[in-house]
Amino acid sequence: METTLAIVIGGLYAISFYLMLRRSMVKLILGLMLFSQAVNLLLFTAAGLTRGQPPIIPEGADALPVPFADPLPQALILTAIVISFGMIAFTLALTRRAHSSLETDDLDQLGRSERP
Amino acid sequence: MLTVLITIFVLAAAAPMLHRLLRGATGWALALPVVAVTAWFATLVPAVSGGEVILESRPWVPALGLDLAFRVDGWSLLFLLLIAGIGALILIYAGGYLHGHRHEGRFFGFLLLFMGSMLGLVAADNLIVMFIFWELTSFSSYLLIGFNHEETKSRAAALQALLVTGGGGLALLAGFILIGQVGGTFSFSALLENADVLRHHALYLPILLLVLAGAFTKSAQVPFHFWLPGAMAAPTPVSAYLHSATMVKAGVFLLGRFNPLLGGTDVWHTVVTGVGAATMLTGALLALPQTDLKRLLAYSTVSGLGTLTLLLGIGTTLATKAAAVFLIVHSLYKGALFMVAGAVDHETGTRDVRSLGGLFKVMPITALAAGAAALSMSGFPPLLGFISKELLYEAKLAAPSGAMLITAAGVGANILMVAVAIIVGFRPFHGARQLPAKPMHEPPLALWLGPAVLAALALVAGLFPSLVDRPLVSAAVSAIRAKETTVELKLWHGLNLVLLLSVVTVLAGVFVYFLRQRCRALAARLAPVVRFGPERGYELGLRALTAVAAGQTRLLQHGYLRGYVLTVLGVATVLAAFALVRFGPATLWIGFEDVRIHEVAIGVLVLAAALVAANARSRLAAVVALGVVGYSVALIYGLYGAPDLAVTQILVETLTLVLFVLVVVHLPQFSTLSSPRRRRWDAAFAGVAGLVITLLVLKALHVESGERVSQYFAENALRAQGRNVVNVILVDFRALDTLGEIAVLSVAALGVFALLKLRPGARKEDR
């Protein structure tokens, strides 16, 4: 399954890179969102996959039953998901504001508006 | 020593305030503590001349082996006395010269800052400390030279001085670091104990050249001599101080300081002597045609510095003696003459020697001081200058190699110096009065005290050389030679070749003085050639630098987001590819034996949905496709033992989609903005990047990272009162990270609020 996921991750990366290179603001945001998914999956996969064994100590036991899914990358990804949500929310608001102020969706136009 | 430095720096900081309180008396008031410092240095003389070296050390950054260490030996003490003594006179002088200037208080501050840096430099034992003070002198002299900052010329001169000496400073730092590496310590005293280590090391040549680069730029040696005359844009007290006693002598100090460590080799002799001789002649030749008093003196300083360098290059005991004596002589007469030039300028409003004359009647004391200083400069008995010149010739004649050449160059330069001395010290005061008859008078006490004291010192020391030889010069020479040396100076050396040379020098100098008009005419004709000198190189270099800076800024900061993204992603991909090839196991993790069909289906779904999102024509389709990707990823998390991730992902995905829909309805429909060619190119790049990432993942799976910290978390989760290890990590083991995460979210929320709610237009209405 790792091999499959590696291909999925590479694909997500490729598509997100392509989207981030577009001139449209909305596409840039789409790219960013896919990008954070890809990064999270990369972390998740690279740490090693363990099927169906969440790192939760069963009631009554005093240790995790081996094997268990690695909890550390999960904690990292959890943080990353939330942070990327904050980032996306901010970018969306920024886009909305930029569009209402500058009346364009084209990032190249945006660059020109910076200069007097 | 540290106390002294701190006192001076505190005074520097307090100077502007003091000036507000004391007004005209500030110069005198500030000179008092400096005189006290000088007196304290003077009390060290007996001990130091007895061969003692005063060491003082205080830990500063012990982890880096950095101590605030000071070392006062004969060579340091000579400089300390000159710097503090002349500094006190300059402070008084500046009080008179800049009286009523708008920034007088600030000026005193800069001057004291410079004085403190200079004292620290010559007393420092630790090389890093020495470098810090070295840079401080460059920095404070920048402030002083550019003091009249409204004038373009001043600013340019200050920048030039800073760049040249600062560049040398960098070389010096590199040299010091190499010395530290080779010698194993930054302490000069410790290095001195194994003095031969450096000379026999493979890195000796780079070290020597780097240190010399620092010394030569600071001491305005050819080809770096051009910044010194430019620095004449500074107010005269600065010129008198920086260009007589101190800043430019820092390079000479460095040469003397490192003579025991680096000197005595053939390279040292060749380079230092050669550069010194070239500078000595260049300075003298360039000085003669000048008509501005300060520029005359500036070029003669260049020549004097060349002489000092030359002597230290020769490096015999005799030459070292001559250097130490000439150092004193030069500081005395040059300081005096600069102050005289300033006083004349102050009273008459001009420094052009062609329009000055007959001032003796108006300002006799100044004229007397100028005359005495000029006599010392031309080496007339019974002034100290005479003794120095005798020694100079003696040392040059006895030079181990090229004695005749060096002596000839020395005589030539000195002849020109005699002519310059007459132009500066006598011409303005004698002959017919040329200035329009406006009411002129003797400058105030503050303006003539400095030159008078310095000239008197030159006379007294000449008459009674025993005042300086044993107490000061012996110890200084011992420190440079790193062995006990006793020096005795005599006014009368007897009738010999040296005396003959002195007489010839003076006579020829007078002769050249009368030819000065013709020299000026010649110089005017040669001006186009001189313009191709090193200064032109400096200008071209500076222009090229700004051109390169502008060019690369245009290239990298082009203002197109897409370009920036491409640069970042491209570099990241190349680095990842490099890591892929260079590191890690050679095999990839490829295996399909453990494949379950529903999982592959999810993977295909993710990719298909992402493709749809990328190519969607309608915004809604893109949003839906994005949702599919998000939820599928959540499924993968759920399947592989990460229920927390799955839940969070689903929640966040939902929120994001809602937000996205809310915003996107306000944006226009997608339109195709890029050309098809552009799109194909981007797609190809993205494909390659994706492939690299896939390979990276496959390779990373092979890497065993040793003991995992997760094991610790798993074992100790129960002690933190939790059964869900992921949760325990977040709220317990790594709780601070979570706090940071919350902070990020809060800031993002504030930003969103500000972007959506606040209107600059609305604010304008409020006003």
Side-chain angles (χ1 to χ4, degrees), chain B residues 335-641:
Chain B
L337 287 177
F338 261 120
M339 286 196 254
V340 165
V344 167
D345 185 18
H346 195 259
E347 295 306 314
T348 64
T350 177
R351 293 195 310 251
D352 192 328
V353 282
R354 285 168 304 186
S355 51
L356 288 168
L359 290 176
F360 187 84
K361 289 195 195 77
V362 199
M363 36 181 92
I365 308 178
T366 315
L368 278 177
L375 283 180
S376 188
M377 180 172 175
S378 23
F380 238 74
L383 289 110
L384 191 59
F386 173 70
I387 302 179
S388 156
K389 182 160 296 178
E390 299 278 284
L391 260 178
L392 254 161
Y393 284 152
E394 215 178 310
K396 284 173 185 166
L397 282 169
S401 58
M404 279 329 288
L405 209 62
I406 295 174
T407 313
V411 172
N414 275 328
I415 290 173
L416 295 171
M417 282 303 100
V418 171
V420 171
I422 301 172
I423 296 176
V424 176
F426 293 101
R427 181 78 192 79
F429 301 99
H430 303 276
R433 222 171 121 168
Q434 291 177 354
L435 277 179
K438 68 168 190 174
M440 280 182 296
H441 44 79
E442 183 77 50
L445 171 66
L447 286 187
W448 62 254
L449 183 71
V453 169
L454 293 181
L457 280 177
L459 180 65
V460 172
L463 289 172
F464 307 102
S466 58
L467 284 176
V468 292
D469 60 1
R470 276 166 186 277
L472 287 177
V473 179
S474 298
V477 173
S478 307
I480 300 174
R481 310 269 313 149
K483 60 177 175 218
E484 207 60 44
T485 318
T486 315
V487 182
E488 270 188 59
L489 299 178
K490 278 183 301 220
L491 194 55
W492 181 248
H493 281 248
L495 283 169
N496 52 18
L497 178 62
V498 171
L499 186 67
L500 180 71
L501 281 178
S502 283
V503 173
V504 169
T505 308
V506 171
L507 289 180
V510 174
F511 180 66
V512 172
Y513 166 72
F514 286 110
L515 288 180
R516 67 189 185 282
Q517 308 290 2
R518 212 168 295 171
C519 294
R520 280 184 202 139
L522 186 69
R525 228 175 304 148
L526 286 177
V529 185
V530 177
R531 227 181 290 140
F532 286 99
E535 185 160 18
R536 181 107 182 107
Y538 165 83
E539 278 165 19
L540 286 178
L542 210 59
R543 221 176 294 155
L545 189 70
T546 45
V548 168
Q552 68 98 13
T553 307
R554 260 198 307 280
L555 192 71
L556 295 176
Q557 306 288 323
H558 40 62
Y560 292 100
L561 183 65
R562 204 152 29 89
Y564 298 143
V565 173
L566 187 64
T567 313
V568 172
L569 296 183
V571 170
T573 308
V574 168
L575 284 180
F578 174 73
L580 197 63
V581 177
R582 184 75 184 68
F583 305 106
T587 48
L588 296 176
W589 176 296
I590 298 181
F592 291 96
E593 63 278 0
D594 187 28
V595 170
R596 308 213 176 152
I597 198 72
H598 62 278
E599 290 172 356
V600 175
I602 295 173
V604 172
L605 189 62
V606 169
L607 280 184
L611 273 175
V612 170
N615 291 310
R617 303 291 308 161
S618 103
R619 297 164 301 178
L620 205 60
V623 173
V624 169
L626 216 59
V628 172
V629 173
Y631 294 127
S632 309
V633 171
L635 261 178
I636 296 175
Y637 291 148
L639 284 172
Y640 283 93

Side-chain angles (χ1 to χ4, degrees), chain B residues 170-508:
Chain B
L170 284 181
L172 188 68
L173 178 62
F176 279 178
I177 290 173
L178 283 181
I179 291 178
Q181 301 268 319
V182 172
T185 171
F186 283 117
S187 159
F188 180 79
S189 302
L191 285 166
L192 213 50
E193 279 160 28
N194 297 314
D196 280 335
V197 171
L198 289 178
R199 265 190 291 263
H200 296 129
H201 197 274
L203 284 173
Y204 170 71
L205 191 64
I207 290 176
L208 177 68
L209 292 180
L210 286 169
V211 171
L212 288 184
F216 288 169
T217 46
K218 199 78 157 184
S219 278
Q221 300 293 306
V222 168
F224 307 111
H225 60 278
F226 57 87
W227 72 262
L228 188 57
M232 290 300 122
T236 307
V238 177
S239 313
Y241 196 34
L242 267 67
H243 310 123
S244 64
T246 53
M247 165 121 160
V248 292
K249 297 259 168 72
V252 175
F253 169 77
L254 200 72
L255 290 178
R257 191 51 130 187
F258 280 90
N259 186 49
L261 292 180
L262 301 171
T265 60
D266 285 343
V267 195
W268 170 282
H269 285 311
T270 318
V271 175
V272 180
T273 312
V275 170
T279 310
M280 178 174 76
L281 281 176
T282 312
L285 284 173
L286 289 175
L288 193 62
Q290 303 298 327
T291 52
D292 180 339
L293 278 177
K294 279 177 76 178
R295 289 188 80 84
L296 268 162
L297 288 170
Y299 279 112
S300 77
T301 306
V302 172
S303 179
L305 293 167
T307 311
L308 283 167
T309 308
L310 167 73
L311 289 170
L312 289 171
I314 297 173
T316 56
T317 313
L318 201 57
T320 318
K321 261 189 229 174
V325 177
F326 184 61
L327 179 79
I328 304 174
V329 172
H330 183 252
S331 299
L332 294 180
Y333 79 66
K334 199 49 68 68
L337 287 177
F338 261 120
M339 286 196 254
V340 165
V344 167
D345 185 18
H346 195 259
E347 295 306 314
T348 64
T350 177
R351 293 195 310 251
D352 192 328
V353 282
R354 285 168 304 186
S355 51
L356 288 168
L359 290 176
F360 187 84
K361 289 195 195 77
V362 199
M363 36 181 92
I365 308 178
T366 315
L368 278 177
L375 283 180
S376 188
M377 180 172 175
S378 23
F380 238 74
L383 289 110
L384 191 59
F386 173 70
I387 302 179
S388 156
K389 182 160 296 178
E390 299 278 284
L391 260 178
L392 254 161
Y393 284 152
E394 215 178 310
K396 284 173 185 166
L397 282 169
S401 58
M404 279 329 288
L405 209 62
I406 295 174
T407 313
V411 172
N414 275 328
I415 290 173
L416 295 171
M417 282 303 100
V418 171
V420 171
I422 301 172
I423 296 176
V424 176
F426 293 101
R427 181 78 192 79
F429 301 99
H430 303 276
R433 222 171 121 168
Q434 291 177 354
L435 277 179
K438 68 168 190 174
M440 280 182 296
H441 44 79
E442 183 77 50
L445 171 66
L447 286 187
W448 62 254
L449 183 71
V453 169
L454 293 181
L457 280 177
L459 180 65
V460 172
L463 289 172
F464 307 102
S466 58
L467 284 176
V468 292
D469 60 1
R470 276 166 186 277
L472 287 177
V473 179
S474 298
V477 173
S478 307
I480 300 174
R481 310 269 313 149
K483 60 177 175 218
E484 207 60 44
T485 318
T486 315
V487 182
E488 270 188 59
L489 299 178
K490 278 183 301 220
L491 194 55
W492 181 248
H493 281 248
L495 283 169
N496 52 18
L497 178 62
V498 171
L499 186 67
L500 180 71
L501 281 178
S502 283
V503 173
V504 169
T505 308
V506 171
L507 289 180

